[in-house]
Amino acid sequence: MIASVRGKVAAVSLSTAVVEVGGIGIELLCTPNTLATLRTGEEAHLPTSLVVREDSLTLFGFTDTDERTLFELLQTASGVGPKLAQAMLAVLSPDGIRLAIAGEDAKTLTKVPGIGQKGAQRIILELKDRIGAPTGTASVPARATAAAPWRDQVAEALVGLGYNARDADKAVTAIEPEAGDQANISLLLRAALRTLSKA
């Protein structure tokens, strides 16, 4: 089990980061919120979870251990695999997920692409007694990035979460007034997801 990686960030894409550890570049699958905190050439320390399949080994990276713990817990629910668990963490904060499940708020869970009403109710039923109370600890805030590429980053992140390109572009246009001079990708992505959930 690879519990965490520490090293220089060699590359950041729309869904992955490569961290150099002992001369080896390790690719991590991360949410847009986590990727927004990383900078190429800077040191990073990310808790990780290794998902083993017959044909693949996939390492998921997280902002903190709370995210990782929740990622692993979510997968114990029927029908929730690593990609859906990661999508839940991209759309909702860890405490947002805890509050939705503890409060039996299926509507909030259905904001996640791939979760319908029945799926949300099943997740609530299976995890309500195990999800725990909100921790009240916020993740490391995403640092602001230059405004120029934010549209493409947010749009491609939405497509990666299962929305079609046309809807993603509409959502990006709708939140443009919120971007300002310095675009915080993490906050803008959540605003875009809120816009799509209302549509």
Side-chain angles (χ1 to χ4, degrees):
M1 174 69 178
I2 302 172
S4 66
V5 298
R6 184 191 296 275
K8 188 177 287 187
V9 179
V12 178
S13 73
L14 292 164
S15 59
T16 63
V18 176
V19 178
E20 290 184 351
V21 181
I24 299 171
I26 297 180
E27 185 179 61
L28 307 169
L29 224 57
C30 305
T31 66
N33 305 328
T34 300
L35 293 169
T37 67
L38 305 177
R39 293 292 174 277
T40 303
E42 292 187 6
E43 184 90 0
H45 177 243
L46 298 174
T48 59
S49 179
L50 181 64
V51 175
V52 179
R53 295 284 183 265
E54 281 185 16
D55 57 348
S56 66
L57 294 171
T58 308
L59 198 59
F60 290 81
F62 305 93
T63 306
D64 54 34
T65 54
D66 185 40
E67 273 194 1
R68 180 184 65 195
T69 300
L70 201 55
F71 172 79
E72 292 173 347
L73 177 64
L74 290 170
Q75 290 176 73
T76 64
S78 307
V80 179
K83 290 204 170 174
L84 187 55
Q86 188 183 47
M88 291 176 74
L89 287 164
V91 176
L92 302 166
S93 68
D95 275 357
I97 293 171
R98 288 189 180 97
L99 287 168
I101 292 174
E104 300 186 21
D105 183 1
K107 186 177 178 182
T108 293
L109 295 179
T110 59
K111 292 177 183 176
V112 179
I115 297 182
Q117 186 69 22
K118 286 185 179 177
Q121 289 170 342
R122 185 176 63 244
I123 291 168
I124 289 168
L125 181 67
E126 293 185 18
L127 297 182
K128 187 179 179 188
D129 294 333
R130 296 188 290 136
I131 196 71
T135 63
T137 58
S139 297
V140 178
R143 287 156 50 181
T145 53
W150 76 264
R151 285 184 62 100
D152 288 342
Q153 286 181 277
V154 173
E156 291 193 38
L158 291 171
V159 170
L161 287 169
Y163 292 99
N164 66 48
R166 189 176 65 183
D167 289 344
D169 285 340
K170 281 183 183 175
V172 167
T173 300
I175 63 167
E176 196 159 12
E178 298 181 39
D181 294 331
Q182 291 289 319
N184 183 315
I185 302 298
S186 175
L187 294 179
L188 289 170
L189 176 63
R190 290 204 174 160
L193 288 163
R194 283 196 299 272
T195 299
L196 286 164
S197 71
K198 290 174 189 171

